[in-house]
Amino acid sequence: MSMKKAWRAAILHCVANPDQVGSANAYEYYPDGLLVVTDGLIQAIGPADDLLATLDTDTILIEEPDALLLPGFIDTHIHYPQSDMIASYGEQLLDWLNNYTFPEERKFADKSYAQDVAQRFLSELLKNGTTTALVFGTVHKASVEAFFESAEQQNLRMICGKVLMDRNAPEYLQDTPETGYQESKELIEAWHEKGRLHYAITPRFAPTSSPEQLQKAGQLLQEYERLYVHTHLSENTKECEWVQALFPDAKHYLDVYDQHQLLSERSVFAHGIHLCNDEYHRLSETGSAIAFCPTSNLFLGSGLFDLQAAQLHQVNVGMGTDVGGGTSFSMWQTLGEAYKVTQLRGHNLDPIKAFYLATLGGAEALRLERHVGNLAAGTEADFVLIDRQATPLLHQRLARANSIEDIVFALMMLADDRAIKATYILGEAAYTRL
Ligand code: GUN
Ligand code: ZN
């Protein structure tokens, strides 16, 4: 027998890219809306007045008159093994990696350690309303097994991969071109497109992979369908100089990946702060995406992402928290910092565009828009309920908001995990705030 439920709340979701149709045409907002879910899939969305009369008598109706119902957030770049080393003081990228990150990632050789962190990481995502993410493991195969096992248990749509890293890192964290290839292959065979899971080939970044390893990564991409590529690009100026020295034949940073056939419709490059026109052009031409990670870029002093340039070149962009370089799991906080980055670049980040980047835009960057990212009929019912009265300040500020744009903007600037009342996965509550 099928399971039918309907939520009555204010409902907002994006239906198109605001860059293409204009902000006003990019979303649907129902102040008194109804979301109808059958067996975990969205069956209908619209004004409650229109849809209530169409419900089958056996539909369970959930009334949430004070809540705002949104699609789950999509985090296009995050490191689960860095959950516990978030907020580590005082360094920029390369020293931060050596002093904090690598010693922490060493611990993931122990699968039970990895399992514990994976569980807590997924709980933290759900607590923040994030329902899909593109996730770094460590170099250890068991780290990815632990992650996928936890994600599968909770029926989450998640993407993860084993880090490839065969040089310029501590011995204890290195693989080889052969073992990296073989272990990735075993993980792909076991997990790629198993239920809601997907595999990402994950070279850490150009400096820590030899040309042989990058070549084998490109080979894997050819050998299987719909694999992702997940790596870092042009984050820190010292890193960029190092890449030029290590790969003197490359035209620019992105060209290192391009020469190894790693640009594709499912390639996601974190950061992309210091890019030249040709790099934007190649990203656009190949359908690759950039993960914009503002809290990380500010925290590590990496620089200000140029969202406007990415937009002009029609490069797909999603939002990334980049925990633990990033300082918050909250997509609201991440959007708030994104707004400030665009301000420092001399622009505004339109609230609807911001909301798009954190939901449908992220799904499009990951080529998952047929499944997640908005609340269109036929998609998977991963959604969140926002408590507009989560804090006294939010309550007061939202009470004077006179448009949905203003509501979204105030949430971007003021909300965090306290505003997530509940998170639903395939129509089932996966997190409920106490
Ligand atoms: N570049 C290479 N590795 C990392 C990492 O773990 N975090 C960030 N932010 N950048 C990287
Ligand atoms: Zn990262």
Side-chain angles (χ1 to χ4, degrees):
M1 216 187 61
S2 67
M3 184 69 177
K4 294 180 198 165
K5 291 189 226 171
W7 283 262
R8 185 176 186 177
I11 304 178
L12 171 71
H13 71 152
C14 279
V15 292
N17 182 345
D19 295 347
Q20 288 165 6
V21 301
S23 280
N25 299 314
Y27 70 89
E28 290 175 348
Y29 176 55
Y30 306 105
D32 179 16
L34 200 71
L35 184 77
V36 187
V37 174
T38 304
D39 295 333
L41 298 182
I42 293 165
Q43 195 189 318
I45 176 173
D49 275 353
D50 296 352
L51 288 180
L52 279 171
T54 70
L55 293 182
D56 295 334
T57 49
D58 57 351
T59 305
I60 299 166
L61 180 63
I62 300 135
E63 304 259 6
E64 293 281 356
D66 296 328
L68 175 62
L69 189 159
L70 309 174
F73 294 121
I74 306 217
D75 189 335
T76 63
H77 179 66
I78 186 163
H79 301 251
Y80 99 80
Q82 297 174 13
S83 298
D84 294 344
M85 52 153 290
I86 190 169
S88 293
Y89 174 76
E91 308 292 0
Q92 295 215 346
L93 177 65
L94 300 176
D95 293 322
W96 175 84
L97 285 172
N98 286 319
N99 295 349
Y100 297 115
T101 315
F102 292 153
E104 178 64 23
E105 292 194 8
R106 181 179 201 172
K107 300 175 187 165
F108 289 72
D110 174 359
K111 186 163 179 190
S112 63
Y113 187 87
Q115 283 168 326
D116 173 53
V117 180
Q119 293 270 3
R120 287 188 290 106
F121 169 86
L122 290 173
S123 300
E124 198 64 34
L125 284 189
L126 294 173
K127 183 171 191 274
N128 280 279
T130 297
T131 50
T132 286
L134 172 58
V135 181
F136 256 69
T138 65
V139 74
H140 313 97
K141 186 182 173 199
S143 76
V144 178
E145 292 168 339
F147 178 82
F148 277 142
E149 285 161 12
S150 281
E152 182 180 47
Q153 227 170 36
Q154 300 183 67
N155 225 343
L156 303 175
R157 192 167 279 287
M158 288 285 159
I159 313 168
C160 187
K162 181 200 112 62
V163 168
L164 300 171
M165 179 154 64
D166 69 346
R167 63 171 179 173
N168 293 322
E171 193 87 34
Y172 60 74
L173 276 187
Q174 286 189 35
D175 58 7
T176 68
E178 292 70 31
T179 61
Y181 173 83
Q182 189 54 36
E183 290 180 5
S184 300
K185 217 173 168 64
E186 288 162 13
L187 288 165
I188 293 163
E189 301 275 351
W191 295 102
H192 184 48
E193 299 188 337
K194 184 175 190 214
R196 303 182 84 194
L197 306 175
H198 310 258
Y199 193 82
I201 300 166
T202 309
R204 176 167 220 119
F205 66 157
T208 47
S209 284
S210 64
E212 295 71 38
Q213 180 160 71
L214 293 174
Q215 186 268 327
K216 285 202 169 308
Q219 190 183 327
L220 279 172
L221 195 60
Q222 297 299 319
E223 289 175 355
Y224 294 89
E225 302 278 327
R226 293 179 298 280
L227 283 178
Y228 291 85
V229 173
H230 186 197
T231 188
H232 298 92
L233 171 71
S234 205
E235 174 179 6
N236 167 287
T237 51
K238 285 212 177 76
E239 169 208 11
C240 294
E241 287 162 19
W242 194 21
V243 170
Q244 270 304 308
L246 288 168
F247 297 91
D249 296 337
K251 273 196 293 186
H252 40 59
Y253 194 152
L254 185 69
D255 196 40
V256 174
Y257 300 131
D258 207 357
Q259 285 180 356
H260 296 94
Q261 281 73 52
L262 291 168
L263 275 59
S264 77
E265 287 195 347
R266 287 181 177 74
S267 297
V268 179
F269 297 95
H271 312 301
I273 297 171
H274 314 283
L275 300 179
C276 65
N277 276 338
D278 191 54
E279 289 175 295
Y280 287 117
H281 178 70
R282 278 301 288 159
L283 289 168
S284 173
E285 196 169 55
T286 56
S288 302
I290 297 178
F292 174 19
C293 308
T295 74
S296 168
N297 299 161
L298 296 169
F299 178 70
L300 293 174
S302 303
L304 304 174
F305 177 65
D306 194 344
L307 183 61
Q308 197 183 48
Q311 187 176 323
L312 285 173
H313 287 88
Q314 295 179 304
V315 177
N316 295 319
V317 176
M319 296 309 302
T321 59
D322 193 29
V323 165
T327 51
S328 175
F329 281 82
S330 168
M331 201 48 80
W332 292 125
Q333 289 290 298
T334 305
L335 293 177
E337 298 307 282
Y339 178 81
K340 297 170 195 170
V341 167
T342 61
Q343 281 293 313
L344 286 166
R345 282 263 182 200
H347 307 292
N348 284 324
L349 174 56
D350 173 271
I352 295 298
K353 167 80 183 270
F355 175 64
Y356 164 81
L357 289 174
T359 56
L360 183 59
E364 288 174 351
L366 301 177
R367 311 289 166 181
L368 290 176
E369 69 276 10
R370 283 190 309 113
H371 303 288
V372 293
N374 72 3
L375 304 169
T379 64
E380 297 162 354
D382 290 357
F383 61 91
V384 298
L385 294 177
I386 303 298
D387 176 3
R388 289 185 273 194
Q389 298 161 9
T391 69
L393 187 65
L394 203 56
H395 186 185
Q396 287 304 325
R397 173 62 179 85
L398 292 181
R400 66 168 62 191
N402 52 16
S403 66
I404 185 61
E405 286 84 353
D406 195 32
I407 291 172
V408 171
F409 184 66
L411 286 166
M412 279 165 63
M413 303 317 298
L414 300 175
D416 53 32
D417 55 323
R418 292 170 295 178
I420 309 296
K421 188 176 180 203
T423 303
Y424 290 83
I425 298 296
L426 297 175
E428 301 288 335
Y431 165 76
T432 308
R433 198 191 57 194
L434 294 174

